[in-house]
Amino acid sequence: MKLCEFLECEKGMLFVVSGPSGTGKGTICKKVIENIGADISVSMTTRKPRDGEIDGKDYFFVTEEEFVQTIKDKGFLEHANVFGNRYGTPKANILEKLNSGKDVILEIDVQGAVQIKETFPEAVLIFALPPTMKELRRRIIKRGTETKQKINERLAKSIDEVKFINRYDYAVINANLEIAVSEVESILIAEHLRLKSDINKIITKYEEEC
Ligand code: ADP
Ligand code: 5GP
């Protein structure tokens, strides 16, 4: 039983997964959500959809003007420019989910993760790493979504991203997918059992029964 169920608290927990493009964040998160039932946030982006990507499911694909208007309306929990495109986490939807007791996973870049930690110090930050740079390149090429120039840009940027790892709570190395998925699930489970500021509620709960 989760500690928050035991203590009858109503809020869900916020998890962030970041890591170099092509590491397998999307693949891992999809499986964790299927297995554990957390919700993933659908980001807004000015990037053009890739083949097979669905508006409202993979991203909300918007124009630069729509993105800027959402910033003005204070509609983002965080937003950043990544590889020349804008990405942002819509605020209303996430807060609604957390308030209804659902856990939410944000698959966002390091700039976004830092902003989230400032607003939600209790958010849990997970950094996904590829086993090697060679394997990272192989995975991006295999995904087949980027031009050669974009692949090189993303690989070059990945070292800068890894330098942010000291801001994170956990590191998961995605060598074997099944193991990486179970490690992320273990983090979610452990974080739900972590003793926090409501520790006195546990004592009170048992005292009331005596
Ligand atoms: P990201 O979301 O981090 O950019 P993706 O989830 O799109 O990465 O994964 C990139 C590619 O790597 C995909 O083709 C995916 O199937 C593959 N992949 C993910 N995890 C593994 C793994 N552990 N071993 C081999 N290939 C993987
Ligand atoms: P992609 O274009 O491959 O879908 O995503 C590129 C990068 O943008 C990835 O590192 C991804 O995690 C990040 N990203 C996706 N959505 C968001 C978001 O809402 N905010 C931020 N800051 N980064 C995001």
Side-chain angles (χ1 to χ4, degrees):
M1 184 187 234
K2 289 175 182 168
L3 199 50
C4 60
E5 284 167 3
F6 180 69
L7 295 172
E8 293 162 16
C9 56
E10 286 135 24
K11 295 231 167 128
M13 289 184 70
L14 190 54
F15 296 90
V16 172
V17 177
S18 310
S21 178
T23 299
K25 304 178 295 291
T27 312
I28 294 172
C29 289
K30 196 163 166 272
K31 290 202 179 284
V32 169
I33 283 153
E34 281 165 16
N35 295 347
I36 274 195
D39 266 344
I40 190 125
S41 155
V42 179
S43 296
M44 208 179 262
T45 184
T46 59
R47 167 167 80 59
K48 296 280 164 283
R50 294 173 183 148
D51 279 353
E53 281 186 329
I54 299 167
D55 188 35
K57 184 168 175 277
D58 297 290
Y59 281 106
F60 294 106
F61 296 100
V62 296
T63 61
E64 175 72 18
E65 291 70 32
E66 286 169 313
F67 198 97
V68 170
Q69 189 57 49
T70 311
I71 298 176
K72 284 187 188 150
D73 296 342
K74 303 204 184 311
F76 288 123
L77 280 184
E78 62 72 37
H79 62 90
N81 193 311
V82 192
F83 309 124
N85 293 303
R86 294 194 190 238
Y87 296 82
T89 304
K91 193 189 276 178
N93 199 2
I94 308 298
L95 297 182
E96 201 181 293
K97 281 177 179 160
L98 290 173
N99 287 332
S100 73
K102 268 259 174 202
D103 290 344
V104 178
I105 302 178
L106 308 180
E107 192 205 312
I108 61 176
D109 89 314
V110 292
Q111 307 168 72
V114 169
Q115 295 174 47
I116 289 292
K117 195 75 180 179
E118 275 163 16
T119 319
F120 298 90
E122 70 284 7
V124 178
L125 271 47
I126 303 169
F127 202 96
L129 288 161
T132 61
M133 287 302 288
K134 199 172 162 206
E135 173 62 10
L136 182 63
R137 176 182 286 276
R138 197 194 66 78
R139 286 183 194 170
I140 307 187
I141 293 170
K142 185 183 130 214
R143 191 171 64 187
T145 53
E146 256 66 47
T147 61
K148 204 169 174 199
Q149 190 204 338
K150 292 264 178 219
I151 290 172
N152 288 333
E153 257 176 51
R154 285 180 179 231
L155 284 169
K157 183 88 195 306
S158 61
I159 305 294
D160 294 336
E161 289 175 296
V162 174
K163 288 182 185 158
F164 276 80
I165 203 160
N166 61 345
R167 312 289 280 265
Y168 284 70
D169 301 299
Y170 295 93
V172 168
I173 295 148
N174 181 20
N176 174 293
L177 182 60
E178 259 179 47
I179 294 174
V181 169
S182 77
E183 285 173 350
V184 171
E185 287 174 4
S186 304
I187 294 167
L188 267 62
I189 293 167
E191 285 297 329
H192 270 290
L193 304 177
R194 183 189 285 280
L195 292 170
K196 301 193 189 92
S197 54
D198 47 11
I199 197 160
N200 283 331
K201 277 169 119 183
I202 298 176
I203 300 163
T204 311
K205 197 172 162 76
Y206 284 105
E207 276 175 348
E208 278 169 3
E209 276 188 48
C210 280

